[in-house]
Amino acid sequence: MNKKKRILKVPKESFLRNKLRKETHQLISEIGLRPPAPFTVMEQLAIDLLQRLEISEEYIDFTIVLIGNETWRKTVEATPFHRRLLLLPQCLKDNNSCQGVFDELGLNCAGCKSCPIDDILIEAENLGYSTLVAEGTTVAIGLVEEGAIDAVIGVSCMPVLQRSFEAVTKAAVPVIGLPLMYDGCVNTKIDLKWLYDEICTEIEDKGSNPISISGLNLQLNEFFGNGTLDKFFGKKSETERLAKEFLQVGGQRMRPLITALSYKAYSQQENDDVLYPLSLIIECFHKASLIHDDIEDETAIRYDTDTVHKKHGIPHAINAGDFLIGKGYELLAQLPVEGAVIAKALQKVAQSHTQLTRGQGADIQFNSGKYVPGLEETLEIFQHKTGEAIKVALVMGAIVGGASNDEITILENFADYFGIAYQVRDDLNEFEEQRSDEKIADFPLLVALLREHSSEPRLTDVVTFKRQIKELKLDEKAHSILNSYVAKCYAELDKLENDRLRLSLYGVLGKIFKPLVANE
Amino acid sequence: MNKSNTVPVYQLLVEYLKKGFSVLDANIQQEIITFVRSQQNQNGGFSDRAGNPDLYYSLFGLWLCLATGQDESLSKLKKYCSGIELQGQGPVEQMALVLTKAALEPKTKKRSVLSLLRMLNQQGKNISLSYRFFLFALLVDAAGKNKTVYYLLARIYLLFYHPKPDFPCSLVAAFTYARKMLGLKVHKFQELVMNYYVEGGGFKAFDTTSNSDMLSTAVALFVLKEIDADLRLIRPATLEFVQNNYFEGAFLSGDGDETKDLEYTFYGLLALGSLVNNEK
């Protein structure tokens, strides 16, 4: 690639650095480029800007970094200091006299003052930053994904900033990068005034402040884990007790998390009296579907324990599932929001319910071996089965949060593509794993592909099936389908006006589809 | 030694700031006072660019308060400094603290030149040798005792020393000023300083740099003024450069950096004070 052949140069003159900082700030404010911006777009903007300013093209990559910074500026500035990480490179230290020691997280500065690291750390920590002196951005991205922090101000040499670009973009990590004055891995230097300018600004801006997914997750886990659920469930019957018990056990609580996320992103006045019941409604519907699916699929184990029907018998299980559906609708009707909002949400939930059962019906037919759908139909089943579940979770939060109809349509499209991509990835994961109990029904997409690409598909046993898939390179075809749907997801997200939800979902996508998309 | 050497250099700098401040319009004077006050932290220290109280920036805050008559701010600063120990501070902060205390508490016991030298050598590796030399000279001048021998040694050293071509303007100007203080000829050095002048602007930091900046301009002008150089030809352009870099109560660095800070405000007033056409 062209970018890798270029010399990664930082202007030595502060005049030029400051001029480019100012110009990129103005440019991005004018055109409103939103993060995470594609590299090619930023590259073209950098080339055009340097040409307009009659500045040497040797500063293209430096300018790209500045443009990237400007796209993220609002988000980083809206992130409270205590939710930010300052990442410094170890090469700032004085190799001859540094008294610091290294551990798995990097350099523990001894404060010997032989380099500027200690002074910088003190400045940042006084403001409330978390700090780290380590190489590369992997740890920083990990910390964002874990939810320990929401934004990063990172100092690094140009080659490392460039190498980190893809990972940072995929994970949608809000980041401001400061290049070292020159490359080389020892005794490097930084423009301290610039660094202090970057770390000192904090602006209260709810519209740009990133939502901490891990913080929200923790909040929901506490809600589902402790006695708060008692408020919504009485102790009137065994059915109620059983339903509540199943709500409390296991699962990633992905759906209530998505609902809470979209509600928080759109809501102007967040209200826990809405957020918690809303999350519970979605979890009630989800858990009800699991109980019924387990019966239909004759699944014995879920969350490392016996399924409800296995433990309590099919009649009780069906009844508990029905109770949860009723409970979901009851809670929805009682939600402390305007009637029109409830009506809209109700319509979506009911619509989703019917779609889900269609998807499940087709799945049952496929599993029974009575009917093998074609590729298009298989993707449609994925959309109904998984996409619908994500869709209802996203859209419910958005409706109650006050999202516009246009935003809701985009979220629905996103959920459709996400559901398909998720199931395709699931298929591929199963295919690439070796399990003793695997069966051909575990790979619906690959079966559909085989039927489409082979005049003599042999579906007799898994070994033969897998060999045919490899011979015809249908797994590669599946990868390309996956990548196309992931790309569609990103394209839909880019249409969203709500930046907080867009960036959160970018992060979710980056995390879920990271390993496979990286194969591109 | 020259007459101006009878007062510490920092006091001379403050006099220049006063001159610069006095020629400004009353509204601008008020803007500068407001800006300086806004930079003072609740604990009395002046803030750095990250917004934290900082001894280095407090030194510039001190000089600006002295020049603009901010007695209340000076009391707060004195209280802040009295609670800070030298130990544990970086070299720049240590020297800033000693200089600040020397100004705020003139009766403070002077320090031996050796102890000041030790202070630099203990923890001074993070700053360049030239800057260390400059700070040390300022420190000896303001807070050192029994300086005569050291001045003599410095005189001998400077007699044979010649700045290198890659030295920054401010350092060449500092050497020039040191020669003047010690009674050495400065004519050739005046030419060296003038080499950094950018036609139609101010002074630039390095020979290879193309743009002027406030720090170099202020230091060069101050030194040129002190050695009685003829500034008439460069006065209009440098004055315009300084004026162009005034922004809402502060002077900017002049290199496109738009953050207002005390350090550049000090340099802005110093440059203005050096351009005022009256007797010292």
Side-chain angles (χ1 to χ4, degrees), chain A residues 13-16 18-19 21-22 94 97 111-117 119 122-124 126-127 193-194 196-197 199-200, chain B residues 48-52 54 57 88-91 93 123 125-126 208-212 253-259 261 263-264:
Chain A
E13 274 198 51
S14 60
F15 184 84
L16 196 50
N18 291 329
K19 187 180 176 67
R21 280 173 63 193
K22 187 180 164 185
D94 182 328
S97 49
C112 67
K113 306 279 184 193
S114 63
C115 73
I117 288 177
D119 286 341
I122 290 170
E123 290 283 355
N126 278 343
L127 291 169
K193 283 185 188 289
W194 180 7
Y196 290 153
D197 281 354
I199 68 172
C200 71
Chain B
D48 60 18
R49 287 165 72 122
N52 295 317
D54 179 277
Y57 281 85
Q89 303 294 336
E93 286 74 18
Q123 307 180 45
K125 291 167 191 164
N126 187 28
T208 51
T209 312
S210 50
N211 298 92
S212 36
S253 70
D255 66 354
D257 176 358
E258 292 186 332
T259 305
D261 79 13
E263 185 179 0
Y264 290 119

Short mmCIF file of all heavy atoms in Angstrom, two decimals, chain A residues 13-16 18-19 21-22 94 97 111-117 119 122-124 126-127 193-194 196-197 199-200, chain B residues 48-52 54 57 88-91 93 123 125-126 208-212 253-259 261 263-264:
data_model
loop_
_atom_site.label_atom_id
_atom_site.label_comp_id
_atom_site.label_asym_id
_atom_site.label_seq_id
_atom_site.Cartn_x
_atom_site.Cartn_y
_atom_site.Cartn_z
N GLU A 13 9.50 22.17 12.99
CA GLU A 13 9.13 23.53 13.40
C GLU A 13 7.75 23.54 14.04
O GLU A 13 6.78 23.07 13.45
CB GLU A 13 9.09 24.43 12.17
CG GLU A 13 10.43 25.01 11.83
CD GLU A 13 10.28 26.22 10.91
OE1 GLU A 13 9.50 27.12 11.24
OE2 GLU A 13 10.93 26.21 9.87
N SER A 14 7.69 24.13 15.24
CA SER A 14 6.39 24.20 15.91
C SER A 14 5.41 25.02 15.08
O SER A 14 4.21 24.77 15.10
CB SER A 14 6.56 24.82 17.30
OG SER A 14 7.10 26.12 17.19
N PHE A 15 5.95 26.00 14.34
CA PHE A 15 5.09 26.83 13.51
C PHE A 15 4.26 25.98 12.55
O PHE A 15 3.05 26.14 12.43
CB PHE A 15 5.94 27.83 12.73
CG PHE A 15 5.14 28.79 11.91
CD1 PHE A 15 4.63 29.94 12.48
CD2 PHE A 15 4.87 28.54 10.58
CE1 PHE A 15 3.86 30.84 11.72
CE2 PHE A 15 4.11 29.42 9.82
CZ PHE A 15 3.61 30.57 10.40
N LEU A 16 4.93 25.05 11.92
CA LEU A 16 4.26 24.20 10.94
C LEU A 16 3.29 23.22 11.62
O LEU A 16 2.18 22.98 11.15
CB LEU A 16 5.32 23.43 10.13
CG LEU A 16 4.85 22.78 8.84
CD1 LEU A 16 4.09 23.76 7.98
CD2 LEU A 16 6.05 22.25 8.07
N ASN A 18 1.77 23.67 14.47
CA ASN A 18 0.61 24.41 14.95
C ASN A 18 -0.30 24.84 13.81
O ASN A 18 -1.52 24.84 13.94
CB ASN A 18 1.06 25.65 15.74
CG ASN A 18 1.72 25.25 17.04
OD1 ASN A 18 1.36 24.23 17.63
ND2 ASN A 18 2.68 26.02 17.50
N LYS A 19 0.32 25.20 12.71
CA LYS A 19 -0.48 25.61 11.54
C LYS A 19 -1.35 24.45 11.08
O LYS A 19 -2.55 24.60 10.85
CB LYS A 19 0.46 26.05 10.41
CG LYS A 19 -0.25 26.66 9.20
CD LYS A 19 0.78 27.06 8.16
CE LYS A 19 0.15 27.58 6.90
NZ LYS A 19 -0.55 28.85 7.04
N ARG A 21 -2.23 21.85 12.84
CA ARG A 21 -3.24 21.56 13.89
C ARG A 21 -4.45 22.46 13.71
O ARG A 21 -5.60 22.02 13.76
CB ARG A 21 -2.64 21.79 15.29
CG ARG A 21 -1.77 20.63 15.79
CD ARG A 21 -1.09 21.00 17.08
NE ARG A 21 -2.02 21.26 18.16
CZ ARG A 21 -1.68 21.85 19.32
NH1 ARG A 21 -0.45 22.25 19.52
NH2 ARG A 21 -2.57 22.04 20.24
N LYS A 22 -4.17 23.74 13.51
CA LYS A 22 -5.25 24.72 13.37
C LYS A 22 -6.08 24.45 12.10
O LYS A 22 -7.31 24.46 12.13
CB LYS A 22 -4.63 26.12 13.31
CG LYS A 22 -5.61 27.25 13.33
CD LYS A 22 -4.86 28.56 13.26
CE LYS A 22 -5.79 29.70 12.90
NZ LYS A 22 -5.08 30.95 12.71
N ASP A 94 15.05 8.08 29.69
CA ASP A 94 16.48 8.20 29.44
C ASP A 94 17.12 6.84 29.71
O ASP A 94 17.15 6.40 30.86
CB ASP A 94 17.06 9.27 30.38
CG ASP A 94 18.54 9.49 30.13
OD1 ASP A 94 19.23 8.52 29.75
OD2 ASP A 94 19.01 10.62 30.32
N SER A 97 19.93 6.58 32.55
CA SER A 97 19.75 6.84 33.98
C SER A 97 18.37 6.49 34.52
O SER A 97 18.09 6.75 35.69
CB SER A 97 20.05 8.31 34.26
OG SER A 97 19.36 9.10 33.32
N GLY A 111 10.24 8.15 39.19
CA GLY A 111 10.24 9.58 39.50
C GLY A 111 11.63 10.18 39.62
O GLY A 111 11.84 11.14 40.35
N CYS A 112 12.60 9.62 38.88
CA CYS A 112 13.97 10.12 39.00
C CYS A 112 14.18 11.42 38.23
O CYS A 112 15.22 12.05 38.35
CB CYS A 112 14.97 9.06 38.54
SG CYS A 112 14.86 8.71 36.77
N LYS A 113 13.22 11.81 37.45
CA LYS A 113 13.25 13.06 36.69
C LYS A 113 14.32 13.10 35.60
O LYS A 113 14.70 14.18 35.15
CB LYS A 113 13.46 14.27 37.62
CG LYS A 113 12.49 14.39 38.76
CD LYS A 113 11.20 15.02 38.32
CE LYS A 113 10.27 15.21 39.52
NZ LYS A 113 8.92 15.54 39.12
N SER A 114 14.83 11.94 35.23
CA SER A 114 15.83 11.95 34.16
C SER A 114 15.15 12.09 32.80
O SER A 114 15.82 12.24 31.79
CB SER A 114 16.68 10.69 34.21
OG SER A 114 15.88 9.56 33.98
N CYS A 115 13.84 12.01 32.77
CA CYS A 115 13.10 12.20 31.53
C CYS A 115 11.78 12.90 31.90
O CYS A 115 11.48 13.05 33.08
CB CYS A 115 12.82 10.85 30.87
SG CYS A 115 11.57 9.89 31.73
N PRO A 116 10.99 13.31 30.92
CA PRO A 116 9.77 14.06 31.29
C PRO A 116 8.61 13.18 31.75
O PRO A 116 7.55 13.70 32.11
CB PRO A 116 9.41 14.80 30.01
CG PRO A 116 10.01 14.02 28.92
CD PRO A 116 11.20 13.31 29.46
N ILE A 117 8.79 11.85 31.74
CA ILE A 117 7.64 10.97 32.01
C ILE A 117 6.98 11.29 33.35
O ILE A 117 5.75 11.44 33.44
CB ILE A 117 8.06 9.48 31.95
CG1 ILE A 117 8.33 9.09 30.50
CG2 ILE A 117 6.99 8.57 32.54
CD1 ILE A 117 8.82 7.65 30.29
N ASP A 119 6.91 13.98 35.23
CA ASP A 119 6.18 15.25 35.24
C ASP A 119 4.86 15.12 34.48
O ASP A 119 3.82 15.64 34.92
CB ASP A 119 7.03 16.36 34.59
CG ASP A 119 8.16 16.81 35.51
OD1 ASP A 119 8.06 16.56 36.72
OD2 ASP A 119 9.14 17.39 35.02
N ILE A 122 2.37 13.10 36.54
CA ILE A 122 1.82 13.90 37.65
C ILE A 122 0.74 14.85 37.14
O ILE A 122 -0.35 14.95 37.72
CB ILE A 122 2.96 14.68 38.37
CG1 ILE A 122 3.84 13.70 39.14
CG2 ILE A 122 2.39 15.73 39.32
CD1 ILE A 122 5.13 14.31 39.69
N GLU A 123 1.04 15.52 36.03
CA GLU A 123 0.06 16.44 35.46
C GLU A 123 -1.26 15.72 35.17
O GLU A 123 -2.33 16.19 35.52
CB GLU A 123 0.59 17.04 34.14
CG GLU A 123 1.74 18.00 34.28
CD GLU A 123 1.29 19.38 34.77
OE1 GLU A 123 0.09 19.62 34.90
OE2 GLU A 123 2.19 20.21 35.04
N ALA A 124 -1.13 14.58 34.50
CA ALA A 124 -2.34 13.85 34.07
C ALA A 124 -3.08 13.26 35.27
O ALA A 124 -4.31 13.35 35.35
CB ALA A 124 -1.95 12.76 33.09
N ASN A 126 -3.07 14.31 38.32
CA ASN A 126 -3.72 15.38 39.08
C ASN A 126 -5.09 15.73 38.51
O ASN A 126 -5.98 16.15 39.23
CB ASN A 126 -2.84 16.65 39.07
CG ASN A 126 -1.76 16.58 40.12
OD1 ASN A 126 -1.83 15.77 41.05
ND2 ASN A 126 -0.74 17.41 39.98
N LEU A 127 -5.21 15.55 37.20
CA LEU A 127 -6.50 15.83 36.57
C LEU A 127 -7.47 14.66 36.73
O LEU A 127 -8.66 14.81 36.52
CB LEU A 127 -6.30 16.12 35.08
CG LEU A 127 -5.59 17.43 34.73
CD1 LEU A 127 -5.22 17.46 33.24
CD2 LEU A 127 -6.45 18.62 35.06
N LYS A 193 4.05 21.16 25.25
CA LYS A 193 2.97 22.15 25.28
C LYS A 193 1.73 21.60 24.57
O LYS A 193 0.61 21.77 25.02
CB LYS A 193 3.43 23.45 24.63
CG LYS A 193 4.34 24.28 25.52
CD LYS A 193 4.66 25.61 24.87
CE LYS A 193 5.71 26.38 25.63
NZ LYS A 193 5.25 26.92 26.90
N TRP A 194 1.99 20.93 23.47
CA TRP A 194 0.88 20.32 22.71
C TRP A 194 0.19 19.26 23.59
O TRP A 194 -1.04 19.22 23.69
CB TRP A 194 1.43 19.73 21.42
CG TRP A 194 0.42 19.08 20.53
CD1 TRP A 194 -0.94 19.07 20.69
CD2 TRP A 194 0.67 18.34 19.33
NE1 TRP A 194 -1.53 18.38 19.66
CE2 TRP A 194 -0.58 17.92 18.83
CE3 TRP A 194 1.83 17.99 18.64
CZ2 TRP A 194 -0.70 17.17 17.65
CZ3 TRP A 194 1.71 17.24 17.47
CH2 TRP A 194 0.45 16.84 16.97
N TYR A 196 0.08 18.99 26.84
CA TYR A 196 -0.70 19.57 27.94
C TYR A 196 -1.97 20.22 27.43
O TYR A 196 -3.00 20.21 28.10
CB TYR A 196 0.16 20.57 28.73
CG TYR A 196 1.26 19.89 29.53
CD1 TYR A 196 2.43 20.54 29.84
CD2 TYR A 196 1.12 18.58 29.96
CE1 TYR A 196 3.45 19.91 30.57
CE2 TYR A 196 2.11 17.94 30.68
CZ TYR A 196 3.28 18.61 30.98
OH TYR A 196 4.24 17.97 31.69
N ASP A 197 -1.91 20.80 26.23
CA ASP A 197 -3.13 21.35 25.64
C ASP A 197 -4.17 20.26 25.44
O ASP A 197 -5.36 20.48 25.66
CB ASP A 197 -2.82 21.97 24.26
CG ASP A 197 -2.18 23.33 24.38
OD1 ASP A 197 -2.08 23.84 25.51
OD2 ASP A 197 -1.76 23.89 23.34
N ILE A 199 -4.48 17.35 27.02
CA ILE A 199 -5.02 16.63 28.18
C ILE A 199 -5.92 17.48 29.07
O ILE A 199 -6.65 16.96 29.89
CB ILE A 199 -3.92 15.97 29.06
CG1 ILE A 199 -3.06 17.02 29.76
CG2 ILE A 199 -3.08 15.01 28.26
CD1 ILE A 199 -2.10 16.38 30.78
N CYS A 200 -5.87 18.82 28.91
CA CYS A 200 -6.50 19.65 29.94
C CYS A 200 -7.96 19.99 29.69
O CYS A 200 -8.61 20.53 30.56
CB CYS A 200 -5.69 20.93 30.14
SG CYS A 200 -5.84 22.06 28.76
N ASP B 48 -0.34 25.74 34.92
CA ASP B 48 0.33 25.44 33.66
C ASP B 48 -0.72 25.17 32.59
O ASP B 48 -1.91 25.34 32.83
CB ASP B 48 1.28 24.24 33.83
CG ASP B 48 0.55 22.98 34.26
OD1 ASP B 48 -0.69 22.91 34.10
OD2 ASP B 48 1.21 22.06 34.78
N ARG B 49 -0.29 24.70 31.46
CA ARG B 49 -1.24 24.53 30.36
C ARG B 49 -2.17 23.36 30.56
O ARG B 49 -3.19 23.23 29.88
CB ARG B 49 -0.48 24.41 29.04
CG ARG B 49 0.08 25.76 28.63
CD ARG B 49 1.11 25.66 27.58
NE ARG B 49 0.56 25.32 26.29
CZ ARG B 49 0.70 26.08 25.21
NH1 ARG B 49 1.33 27.22 25.26
NH2 ARG B 49 0.23 25.67 24.07
N ALA B 50 -1.83 22.49 31.49
CA ALA B 50 -2.76 21.40 31.80
C ALA B 50 -3.76 21.84 32.87
O ALA B 50 -4.65 21.08 33.24
CB ALA B 50 -1.99 20.17 32.26
N GLY B 51 -3.60 23.07 33.39
CA GLY B 51 -4.54 23.58 34.38
C GLY B 51 -4.15 23.29 35.82
O GLY B 51 -4.90 23.61 36.74
N ASN B 52 -2.99 22.67 36.01
CA ASN B 52 -2.55 22.36 37.38
C ASN B 52 -1.62 23.46 37.89
O ASN B 52 -0.85 24.02 37.12
CB ASN B 52 -1.78 21.03 37.40
CG ASN B 52 -2.66 19.86 37.05
OD1 ASN B 52 -3.79 19.78 37.51
ND2 ASN B 52 -2.16 18.94 36.23
N ASP B 54 1.60 25.19 39.13
CA ASP B 54 2.93 24.78 38.68
C ASP B 54 3.94 25.87 39.05
O ASP B 54 3.68 27.06 38.86
CB ASP B 54 2.87 24.60 37.16
CG ASP B 54 4.19 24.20 36.56
OD1 ASP B 54 5.04 25.08 36.32
OD2 ASP B 54 4.38 23.00 36.35
N TYR B 57 5.30 28.08 36.00
CA TYR B 57 4.35 29.09 35.55
C TYR B 57 4.08 30.11 36.66
O TYR B 57 3.76 31.26 36.39
CB TYR B 57 3.04 28.43 35.08
CG TYR B 57 3.18 27.88 33.68
CD1 TYR B 57 3.72 26.62 33.47
CD2 TYR B 57 2.83 28.64 32.57
CE1 TYR B 57 3.90 26.12 32.19
CE2 TYR B 57 2.98 28.15 31.28
CZ TYR B 57 3.53 26.88 31.09
OH TYR B 57 3.69 26.42 29.82
N GLY B 88 12.06 16.91 46.14
CA GLY B 88 10.98 16.23 45.43
C GLY B 88 10.55 16.98 44.18
O GLY B 88 9.76 16.48 43.39
N GLN B 89 11.03 18.19 44.01
CA GLN B 89 10.68 18.96 42.81
C GLN B 89 11.72 18.69 41.71
O GLN B 89 12.86 18.35 42.01
CB GLN B 89 10.68 20.46 43.12
CG GLN B 89 9.76 20.88 44.24
CD GLN B 89 8.28 20.67 43.90
OE1 GLN B 89 7.91 20.64 42.74
NE2 GLN B 89 7.47 20.47 44.91
N GLY B 90 11.30 18.90 40.48
CA GLY B 90 12.23 18.78 39.37
C GLY B 90 13.17 19.98 39.36
O GLY B 90 12.93 20.96 40.09
N PRO B 91 14.22 19.95 38.55
CA PRO B 91 15.21 21.03 38.56
C PRO B 91 14.62 22.39 38.19
O PRO B 91 14.92 23.40 38.84
CB PRO B 91 16.23 20.58 37.52
CG PRO B 91 15.56 19.55 36.72
CD PRO B 91 14.55 18.89 37.59
N GLU B 93 11.55 23.34 38.50
CA GLU B 93 10.64 23.77 39.57
C GLU B 93 11.43 24.26 40.78
O GLU B 93 11.05 25.24 41.42
CB GLU B 93 9.72 22.61 39.98
CG GLU B 93 8.61 22.29 38.99
CD GLU B 93 9.12 21.58 37.75
OE1 GLU B 93 10.24 21.03 37.79
OE2 GLU B 93 8.41 21.58 36.73
N GLN B 123 19.57 16.98 39.88
CA GLN B 123 18.46 16.53 39.05
C GLN B 123 18.27 17.46 37.88
O GLN B 123 17.34 18.21 37.86
CB GLN B 123 17.15 16.55 39.81
CG GLN B 123 17.12 15.85 41.11
CD GLN B 123 15.72 15.98 41.69
OE1 GLN B 123 14.73 15.80 40.99
NE2 GLN B 123 15.63 16.28 42.94
N LYS B 125 19.01 16.52 34.50
CA LYS B 125 19.36 15.88 33.23
C LYS B 125 18.27 15.99 32.18
O LYS B 125 18.51 15.74 31.02
CB LYS B 125 19.71 14.42 33.48
CG LYS B 125 21.01 14.29 34.24
CD LYS B 125 21.17 12.89 34.77
CE LYS B 125 22.32 12.83 35.74
NZ LYS B 125 22.32 11.64 36.55
N ASN B 126 17.08 16.33 32.63
CA ASN B 126 15.98 16.38 31.68
C ASN B 126 15.92 17.70 30.92
O ASN B 126 15.05 17.89 30.11
CB ASN B 126 14.67 16.12 32.42
CG ASN B 126 13.51 15.99 31.50
OD1 ASN B 126 13.69 15.59 30.35
ND2 ASN B 126 12.34 16.36 31.94
N THR B 208 17.90 27.79 11.02
CA THR B 208 17.19 27.04 9.98
C THR B 208 15.68 27.28 9.99
O THR B 208 14.96 26.82 9.11
CB THR B 208 17.42 25.53 10.20
OG1 THR B 208 17.12 25.23 11.56
CG2 THR B 208 18.84 25.14 9.88
N THR B 209 15.20 27.97 11.02
CA THR B 209 13.76 28.21 11.12
C THR B 209 13.37 29.37 10.21
O THR B 209 14.17 30.28 9.99
CB THR B 209 13.40 28.58 12.58
OG1 THR B 209 14.02 27.64 13.44
CG2 THR B 209 11.91 28.59 12.82
N SER B 210 12.13 29.32 9.70
CA SER B 210 11.75 30.42 8.81
C SER B 210 10.83 31.44 9.48
O SER B 210 10.68 32.54 8.98
CB SER B 210 11.07 29.84 7.57
OG SER B 210 10.06 28.95 7.95
N ASN B 211 10.21 31.09 10.58
CA ASN B 211 9.26 32.01 11.20
C ASN B 211 9.72 32.53 12.55
O ASN B 211 10.38 31.81 13.31
CB ASN B 211 7.91 31.30 11.38
CG ASN B 211 7.32 30.89 10.07
OD1 ASN B 211 7.54 29.79 9.60
ND2 ASN B 211 6.60 31.79 9.44
N SER B 212 9.34 33.74 12.85
CA SER B 212 9.72 34.32 14.15
C SER B 212 8.78 33.83 15.25
O SER B 212 7.65 33.41 14.97
CB SER B 212 9.70 35.83 14.07
OG SER B 212 8.67 36.31 13.24
N SER B 253 2.40 32.60 21.47
CA SER B 253 3.79 32.22 21.19
C SER B 253 4.29 32.76 19.85
O SER B 253 5.49 32.87 19.63
CB SER B 253 3.91 30.70 21.16
OG SER B 253 3.25 30.21 20.02
N GLY B 254 3.35 33.07 18.97
CA GLY B 254 3.77 33.61 17.67
C GLY B 254 4.06 32.54 16.65
O GLY B 254 4.30 32.84 15.48
N ASP B 255 4.05 31.27 17.08
CA ASP B 255 4.34 30.21 16.11
C ASP B 255 3.06 29.44 15.76
O ASP B 255 3.10 28.29 15.37
CB ASP B 255 5.43 29.26 16.63
CG ASP B 255 4.98 28.49 17.85
OD1 ASP B 255 3.88 28.76 18.37
OD2 ASP B 255 5.73 27.60 18.31
N GLY B 256 1.92 30.12 15.95
CA GLY B 256 0.67 29.49 15.57
C GLY B 256 0.00 28.75 16.71
O GLY B 256 -1.13 28.29 16.60
N ASP B 257 0.67 28.65 17.83
CA ASP B 257 0.10 28.01 19.01
C ASP B 257 -0.92 28.99 19.59
O ASP B 257 -0.57 30.11 19.96
CB ASP B 257 1.24 27.74 20.00
CG ASP B 257 0.75 27.16 21.31
OD1 ASP B 257 -0.47 27.00 21.45
OD2 ASP B 257 1.59 26.86 22.17
N GLU B 258 -2.17 28.57 19.67
CA GLU B 258 -3.22 29.53 20.05
C GLU B 258 -3.61 29.45 21.51
O GLU B 258 -4.58 30.09 21.93
CB GLU B 258 -4.43 29.30 19.15
CG GLU B 258 -4.13 29.70 17.72
CD GLU B 258 -5.33 29.64 16.82
OE1 GLU B 258 -6.25 28.84 17.11
OE2 GLU B 258 -5.35 30.38 15.83
N THR B 259 -2.90 28.66 22.28
CA THR B 259 -3.23 28.57 23.70
C THR B 259 -2.62 29.75 24.44
O THR B 259 -1.44 30.05 24.29
CB THR B 259 -2.69 27.25 24.28
OG1 THR B 259 -3.19 26.18 23.50
CG2 THR B 259 -3.13 27.07 25.73
N ASP B 261 -1.04 31.48 27.50
CA ASP B 261 -0.40 31.09 28.76
C ASP B 261 0.45 32.23 29.31
O ASP B 261 0.73 33.22 28.62
CB ASP B 261 0.34 29.75 28.66
CG ASP B 261 1.70 29.83 27.99
OD1 ASP B 261 2.21 30.94 27.80
OD2 ASP B 261 2.26 28.76 27.69
N GLU B 263 3.55 32.31 30.32
CA GLU B 263 4.92 32.43 29.85
C GLU B 263 5.01 33.36 28.63
O GLU B 263 5.83 34.27 28.59
CB GLU B 263 5.47 31.04 29.49
CG GLU B 263 6.93 31.05 29.11
CD GLU B 263 7.48 29.66 28.78
OE1 GLU B 263 6.71 28.68 28.84
OE2 GLU B 263 8.67 29.58 28.46
N TYR B 264 4.14 33.13 27.65
CA TYR B 264 4.20 33.97 26.45
C TYR B 264 3.68 35.38 26.71
O TYR B 264 4.09 36.34 26.04
CB TYR B 264 3.46 33.30 25.29
CG TYR B 264 4.20 32.09 24.80
CD1 TYR B 264 3.65 30.82 24.84
CD2 TYR B 264 5.51 32.22 24.33
CE1 TYR B 264 4.36 29.71 24.42
CE2 TYR B 264 6.23 31.11 23.91
CZ TYR B 264 5.64 29.86 23.96
OH TYR B 264 6.36 28.78 23.55
#
